[in-house]
Amino acid sequence: MTISDQDVLLVIDVQNDFCTGGALAVPGGERVVPAINRIAQGFANVVLTQDWHPGDHVSFAANHTSKQPFETVELDYGTQVLWPTHCVQGSPGAEFHRDLEVTRPNLVVRKGFRRGIDSYSAFYENDRTTPTGLLGYLRERELKRVFVAGLALDFCVRYSAEDARKAGFEVAVIEDACRGIDLGGSVAATHQSFKALGIPALSFEALL
Ligand code: VGL
Ligand code: ZN
């Protein structure tokens, strides 16, 4: 596969809190780093996302009475999973993994920074209407194909890939450069949804 100047690599949330030892560790999370660093070399356009929550964020179980992580709560925008406190703005857990190559990327999109609303997708917050601005960036730059990698496959990678596809981009997910949380069958649901939307899974080796 040939990567062109109209392609973008979208790297989702490769942050310490999603890696081994982190507050919301995704099994093997840090293992995506070497693959992402290698394929990023071939892209003229690389965008990173960074989960970036205030300490009093509504998605943290600790900010609700009698709630445990991975339980859900009904908010005005719908059902929200409650997470362990993670990716707090300015904390070490919110930093990119130290081995992630961060000089090549030309944009960092921070998300989930409003207290009352979570944002899995790089494009829209969890009310599914508040934009992050990334869609405008990609359109204005006239980018056409979006390759998605990172953490977690079944949450932020999933929502980002789906939103990109629904916005009309050609989208592929680099599955071996992703790892999932797998909560209540969420990895299987992700695969089904990708299939229904026409989002193929690639190996990073196809991009070398
Ligand atoms: C994520 C849960 C909460 C992710 C972020 O990056 O997939 N998941 N915040
Ligand atoms: Zn988060």
Side-chain angles (χ1 to χ4, degrees):
M1 181 172 298
T2 314
I3 301 304
S4 85
D5 284 357
Q6 291 190 311
D7 295 331
V8 59
L9 176 64
L10 179 56
V11 179
I12 306 294
D13 297 358
V14 182
Q15 294 165 261
N16 292 328
D17 271 341
F18 298 121
C19 296
T20 299
L24 178 42
V26 179
E30 63 285 349
R31 296 182 59 191
V32 304
V33 172
I36 289 171
N37 287 345
R38 282 185 71 189
I39 55 181
Q41 306 273 331
F43 282 83
N45 308 292
V46 180
V47 174
L48 305 180
T49 69
Q50 192 171 24
D51 212 37
W52 194 251
H53 302 306
D56 60 352
H57 197 246
V58 71
S59 79
F60 296 166
N63 294 328
H64 298 259
T65 40
S66 319
K67 287 286 186 186
Q68 295 302 313
F70 311 109
E71 292 180 358
T72 59
V73 70
E74 295 306 318
L75 300 178
D76 50 9
Y77 61 78
T79 303
Q80 171 69 50
V81 178
L82 296 175
W83 304 105
T85 298
H86 66 280
C87 296
V88 173
Q89 295 169 358
S91 70
E95 287 169 17
F96 293 115
H97 187 280
R98 73 153 97 80
D99 295 332
L100 185 70
E101 166 54 57
V102 293
T103 46
R104 186 165 197 85
N106 33 36
L107 180 72
V108 176
V109 177
R110 286 175 167 168
K111 61 183 182 60
F113 52 80
R114 292 184 182 86
R115 188 201 67 80
I117 184 167
D118 203 4
S119 189
Y120 294 151
S121 167
F123 295 94
Y124 292 102
E125 301 192 17
N126 283 11
D127 61 0
R128 314 309 297 135
T129 53
T130 305
T132 63
L134 180 58
L135 189 55
Y137 176 87
L138 298 185
R139 285 189 174 148
E140 201 163 14
R141 295 274 328 278
E142 299 182 14
L143 302 175
K144 303 282 186 243
R145 281 198 306 186
V146 183
F147 293 83
V148 193
L151 307 170
L153 173 70
D154 42 343
F155 287 92
C156 292
V157 171
R158 174 185 179 177
Y159 280 78
S160 299
E162 290 176 359
D163 283 350
R165 185 76 196 93
K166 288 173 189 166
F169 294 92
E170 221 183 293
V171 180
V173 171
I174 307 159
E175 275 241 22
D176 51 4
C178 299
R179 292 293 185 281
I181 295 174
D182 208 10
L183 205 59
S186 54
V187 166
T190 298
H191 287 136
Q192 274 185 357
S193 164
F194 285 173
K195 201 169 176 195
L197 288 168
I199 301 173
L202 297 182
S203 165
F204 77 92
E205 290 174 336
L207 301 179
L208 296 178

